[in-house]
Amino acid sequence: MRKGFLILTSVVRKGFLTCIFVKEADLTTQRARGGRVTIHDLARVAGVSVSTVSKALNDNGRMAAETRARIKRMAAEIGFRPNALARGLLSSRSFTIGLLTNDTYGRFTLPVMAGISDALVDHGVSVFLCAIEDDPALGKVHVDAMLDKQVDGIIATGKRIDRSLPVDLAGLPVPVVYAFTAGASDSVTFTADDAQGAALATAWLKKLGRRRLVHITGPEDFVSVRERASAFASEAGEGGSVRYGVWSESWGHQAVADLWSAGGPLPDGIFCGNDQIARGVVDALRERGVKVPEDVSVIGFDNWEILAEQTRPPLTTIDMNLKELGREAGLMVLALAEGRPAEPGLRKLPCKLVVRQSCGGAQTN
Amino acid sequence: MRKGFLILTSVVRKGFLTCIFVKEADLTTQRARGGRVTIHDLARVAGVSVSTVSKALNDNGRMAAETRARIKRMAAEIGFRPNALARGLLSSRSFTIGLLTNDTYGRFTLPVMAGISDALVDHGVSVFLCAIEDDPALGKVHVDAMLDKQVDGIIATGKRIDRSLPVDLAGLPVPVVYAFTAGASDSVTFTADDAQGAALATAWLKKLGRRRLVHITGPEDFVSVRERASAFASEAGEGGSVRYGVWSESWGHQAVADLWSAGGPLPDGIFCGNDQIARGVVDALRERGVKVPEDVSVIGFDNWEILAEQTRPPLTTIDMNLKELGREAGLMVLALAEGRPAEPGLRKLPCKLVVRQSCGGAQTN
DNA sequence: GTTCTATGAGAAAAGGTTTTCTCATATTGA
DNA sequence: TCAATATGAGAAAACCTTTTCTCATAGAAC
């Protein structure tokens, strides 16, 4: 065996065993790199230059079809995968985006994240998740770290459309898309269509023959609360009334107690601002001996499955299609990163009705 | 003004306005780069070479203290931040790790993620979140993408310690740390100390004077269920019995119904396998007219705040310190990435008791 | 046999940073 | 004044990939 040389790998090609000799120094280099195989290794093994390898793998340049195929085959054999850092340095595309979020429990962020990831993984894009927990300093640290890492874009997401993240994303050198959080007026923003969702819920109650409708919802300072209440009011007509409160089960309980002790005509349909309130309402009604859905239909909002499915009876509710929203936001930020233009403005995505048992009515939809 | 030159920026230094002239070609380059300022721009502005700038900013090499300070000041002025891609290419450290997860709802993953991020953001490390949803193909795609991006390490996390992710992480060129999921025997794995947590819960019930104890928990094929049950049994002594079921509220309801209709002596303390079961138990007891905590103390497991706080009364429960677990896993993967050695094996982190009202007893702890 | 074209493949530069090596100048001592 | 040393700063290579440009060879046409 040649002195100072070692066998790197042996390849069986066309039935012949070919031994590849590499200088010991090269192997040492390779060790230091963590055993990663580079395009140079592949070129050496294939007996061509690195440029030829690159062109072969990227279907660029002119070359004999046989050469291209052979190089591709050997690349697969030795497990060559191009270093995305080097690639990104050259192309100024890192195939990486950042997801900035405010939402600690992830009730909104996780489905959105799932949609983003789902849409972008096919494009080779990975997602940095940065939870900033309402802390401006932490937000800045994360944004700086993302920019240092040359993210191709940023998606900012929060819990409500009428508050912005505690960090300034204007004037960044990368595109920013907002989801469920407020952006500048000339930015691209995605949110759920609250009015349409509320109308959907109210129409469903009416379709089931309910006429004395109440909307028990969250704090009036949420713009989405006002939009839903307004849509509810116009859909419900004369019979509809709205009660504002907080986003908790106990508010649902209390609202039922208030209604049933008020002495007026009792509602036969209740549209709740979220599934937690609905859970409280359903529990309170059961405790009063009011039958759901026989006496009263209750519909929630959010389709927070882990809660909606465990309620007795399971909640019919409105789903904001958060995963789809994430998917669209992901594709949008990708488009912007690739220089494709997009019209700024607020995009409202439709909600859908999820029928379980708390309203009665057809299970099929 | 000089032809072919443009003002890049103007700097006020020592009271003098200094105009920096750059060739138009350079500016065009700059534009194409997305307006990012490089070390070359900084070197030009500071009137030194790039190597001097690099050494100044990294506190390397010999140079006049005044020069170093001046370069640092100008770097801050023009907002220079080194390109992490270029840096990573050279150092083979990307300051990036991947978090692989199985857990769609993120009940476990999100706190763990928060801990990881919290521990690593100070070290300039960002985290790729990859949800693979039990899909081996998707898992491979994500792992490959992370490796291409030269992550410094991977943290694998799941929902239970006795199942592994549907993707092979052995023999990867980067360190892997497991949290709440099974790894190879020679790997570093973190999990909560189920036995200690269960003992803590049981001891708390006993300390409150409860003697007829029941443990209502999840499926017996979970190793954590068996460990908790075993610890419960030895702590509870003669009076303790265990009922296995599923992880749902309705199982909590049913278990209470079973117990109260069995005709034997009724329990005065119930330790539940998770907060959902505890919620079901508490609701069922209230509906039977059994007072919690006066007649029966109920304690949960998980400290899933959004559920525990909304239960009536709010749940006393065991917290698995998931954020701390994430923090330790993050620091561990960082240590391994930096070549510091670590002993393989399973590390069990202690749980803590969170006192609310479902057991009675002191609010202070 | 000679010139032109087509084809295949290699050389080199670029991307932004860090590190090592080299060089020039200033300072010290004799 | 000259040599030796200390000091500050620049040049160049390296990391890995892609792309453009150039070159060599084979075949075709005259």
Side-chain angles (χ1 to χ4, degrees):
Chain A
M1 182 161 167
R2 283 183 277 178
K3 198 161 177 309
F5 282 71
L6 294 170
I7 297 178
L8 167 61
T9 180
S10 43
V11 189
V12 180
R13 179 151 49 94
K14 293 179 184 162
F16 290 86
L17 181 64
T18 316
C19 286
I20 312 296
F21 291 87
V22 285
K23 275 187 277 181
E24 240 179 312
D26 290 352
L27 196 62
T28 310
T29 308
Q30 175 144 9
R31 281 244 183 70
R33 272 200 318 270
R36 238 98 160 197
V37 35
T38 75
I39 199 172
H40 288 93
D41 301 321
L42 177 51
R44 200 179 322 117
V45 171
V48 295
S49 72
V50 290
S51 24
T52 302
V53 171
S54 175
K55 285 183 293 188
L57 297 181
N58 295 307
D59 287 325
N60 277 347
R62 292 179 312 198
M63 104 185 24
E66 192 275 333
T67 309
R68 200 183 290 277
R70 183 171 56 90
I71 293 174
K72 282 183 175 177
R73 186 159 25 85
M74 306 198 85
E77 260 169 25
I78 69 171
F80 167 73
R81 314 210 85 221
N83 181 325
L85 262 40
R87 206 177 222 181
L89 189 55
L90 203 54
S91 65
S92 46
R93 284 285 315 275
S94 66
F95 288 92
T96 282
I97 70 156
L99 178 60
L100 215 55
T101 176
N102 221 7
D103 168 23
T104 318
Y105 286 106
R107 223 167 93 204
F108 299 109
T109 296
L110 270 181
V112 172
M113 165 84 202
I116 295 171
S117 186
D118 196 58
L120 297 188
V121 73
D122 300 333
H123 300 263
V125 175
S126 305
V127 183
F128 287 124
L129 179 59
C130 306
I132 63 172
E133 319 196 356
D134 274 317
D135 179 345
L138 188 58
K140 179 156 172 43
V141 169
H142 270 131
V143 170
D144 284 346
M146 293 191 309
L147 292 178
D148 289 353
K149 279 159 191 145
Q150 311 291 115
V151 291
D152 296 334
I154 292 177
I155 300 179
T157 146
K159 287 170 289 194
R160 52 190 288 192
I161 191 66
D162 49 352
R163 289 281 186 277
S164 58
L165 260 40
V167 52
D168 184 21
L169 298 174
L172 255 40
V174 298
V176 179
V177 167
Y178 299 83
F180 261 97
T181 192
S185 61
D186 60 341
S187 58
V188 176
T189 306
F190 289 89
T191 191
D193 191 337
D194 287 293
Q196 175 265 347
L200 199 59
T202 316
W204 182 243
L205 292 174
K206 284 175 67 182
K207 185 176 168 225
L208 294 170
R210 306 304 184 175
R211 288 296 173 266
R212 301 183 305 282
L213 306 185
V214 179
H215 181 35
I216 302 177
T217 184
E220 196 173 1
D221 72 303
F222 277 63
V223 69
S224 62
V225 165
R226 295 196 299 275
E227 294 208 347
R228 292 181 204 168
S230 155
F232 167 80
S234 57
E235 184 80 19
E238 297 274 308
S241 74
V242 179
R243 295 184 167 235
Y244 301 98
V246 295
W247 296 120
S248 73
E249 282 189 39
S250 55
W251 160 234
H253 273 277
Q254 193 200 313
V256 167
D258 294 351
L259 282 165
W260 259 254
S261 63
L266 292 176
D268 59 1
I270 303 179
F271 166 37
C272 299
N274 73 0
D275 287 345
Q276 283 183 277
I277 296 175
R279 168 79 193 246
V281 165
V282 168
D283 284 353
L285 291 174
R286 188 181 340 98
E287 286 166 22
R288 289 183 170 268
V290 179
K291 289 212 168 97
V292 175
E294 292 81 353
D295 302 334
V296 178
S297 289
V298 178
I299 186 167
F301 207 102
D302 282 354
N303 192 27
W304 190 21
E305 296 187 356
I306 206 153
L307 185 66
E309 287 173 351
Q310 294 282 318
T311 302
R312 296 169 300 152
L315 287 175
T316 291
T317 187
I318 299 296
D319 187 309
M320 291 190 284
N321 282 321
L322 292 177
K323 191 165 179 184
E324 181 58 29
L325 196 148
R327 196 188 314 270
E328 300 227 359
L331 293 176
M332 172 62 73
V333 81
L334 190 63
L336 292 171
E338 287 169 354
R340 280 177 273 150
E343 208 170 312
L346 184 62
R347 288 161 165 75
K348 297 186 176 185
L349 269 53
C351 303
K352 68 172 187 248
L353 177 71
V354 176
V355 177
R356 293 197 183 86
Q357 296 160 39
S358 66
C359 286
Q363 275 285 51
T364 61
N365 195 318
Chain B
M1 182 163 169
R2 283 183 279 180
K3 198 161 176 311
F5 284 71
L6 294 171
I7 298 178
L8 166 61
T9 179
S10 42
V11 189
V12 180
R13 179 150 49 95
K14 293 179 184 162
F16 291 86
L17 181 65
T18 317
C19 287
I20 313 295
F21 290 86
V22 286
K23 274 188 276 182
E24 241 178 310
D26 291 351
L27 196 63
T28 311
T29 309
Q30 176 144 8
R31 281 243 183 68
R33 272 199 320 268
R36 238 98 161 198
V37 33
T38 75
I39 200 173
H40 288 94
D41 301 321
L42 177 50
R44 201 179 323 118
V45 170
V48 294
S49 73
V50 290
S51 24
T52 302
V53 171
S54 175
K55 285 182 293 186
L57 297 181
N58 296 307
D59 287 325
N60 278 346
R62 294 178 311 197
M63 100 185 29
E66 193 274 336
T67 309
R68 201 183 289 276
R70 183 171 56 88
I71 292 174
K72 281 183 174 176
R73 185 158 27 83
M74 306 199 84
E77 261 169 23
I78 70 172
F80 167 73
R81 314 211 86 221
N83 182 325
L85 261 42
R87 204 175 225 183
L89 188 54
L90 203 54
S91 65
S92 48
R93 284 284 314 274
S94 66
F95 288 91
T96 282
I97 68 155
L99 178 61
L100 216 54
T101 175
N102 221 6
D103 167 24
T104 319
Y105 285 105
R107 224 167 92 205
F108 299 109
T109 296
L110 270 181
V112 172
M113 166 84 202
I116 295 171
S117 186
D118 197 57
L120 297 188
V121 73
D122 300 332
H123 299 263
V125 175
S126 305
V127 183
F128 286 124
L129 179 59
C130 306
I132 63 172
E133 319 196 356
D134 274 317
D135 179 346
L138 188 58
K140 180 157 171 43
V141 169
H142 271 132
V143 170
D144 283 347
M146 294 192 308
L147 292 178
D148 290 352
K149 281 160 190 142
Q150 312 290 117
V151 290
D152 297 333
I154 292 178
I155 300 179
T157 151
K159 287 171 287 194
R160 53 189 287 192
I161 191 64
D162 48 352
R163 289 282 185 277
S164 59
L165 259 42
V167 53
D168 184 21
L169 298 175
L172 254 41
V174 298
V176 179
V177 167
Y178 298 82
F180 261 97
T181 193
S185 61
D186 62 340
S187 58
V188 176
T189 307
F190 289 88
T191 190
D193 190 337
D194 286 294
Q196 176 265 346
L200 198 59
T202 316
W204 181 244
L205 291 175
K206 284 175 67 182
K207 185 177 167 221
L208 295 170
R210 306 305 184 175
R211 289 297 173 266
R212 300 184 306 282
L213 306 185
V214 178
H215 181 34
I216 302 177
T217 185
E220 196 173 359
D221 72 302
F222 277 64
V223 69
S224 61
V225 165
R226 295 197 299 274
E227 294 209 347
R228 292 181 203 169
S230 154
F232 166 81
S234 56
E235 183 80 18
E238 298 274 309
S241 75
V242 180
R243 297 185 165 235
Y244 301 99
V246 295
W247 296 119
S248 73
E249 281 190 41
S250 55
W251 160 235
H253 273 276
Q254 193 200 311
V256 167
D258 293 351
L259 283 166
W260 259 254
S261 63
L266 293 176
D268 59 2
I270 303 180
F271 167 36
C272 300
N274 74 0
D275 288 345
Q276 282 183 278
I277 295 175
R279 169 77 194 246
V281 165
V282 168
D283 284 354
L285 291 174
R286 189 181 338 99
E287 286 166 22
R288 288 181 172 270
V290 179
K291 289 213 166 96
V292 175
E294 292 81 354
D295 302 334
V296 178
S297 289
V298 178
I299 186 166
F301 206 102
D302 281 355
N303 192 27
W304 190 21
E305 296 188 357
I306 206 154
L307 185 66
E309 287 172 352
Q310 294 282 318
T311 302
R312 295 170 301 151
L315 287 176
T316 290
T317 185
I318 299 295
D319 187 310
M320 292 191 284
N321 283 320
L322 293 177
K323 192 166 178 184
E324 183 58 30
L325 196 148
R327 195 189 314 272
E328 300 228 359
L331 293 176
M332 173 62 73
V333 81
L334 190 63
L336 292 171
E338 287 169 354
R340 280 177 274 148
E343 208 170 312
L346 182 62
R347 288 161 167 75
K348 295 187 176 185
L349 269 54
C351 304
K352 68 171 187 249
L353 176 71
V354 175
V355 176
R356 293 198 184 85
Q357 297 160 38
S358 66
C359 286
Q363 275 285 51
T364 59
N365 193 319

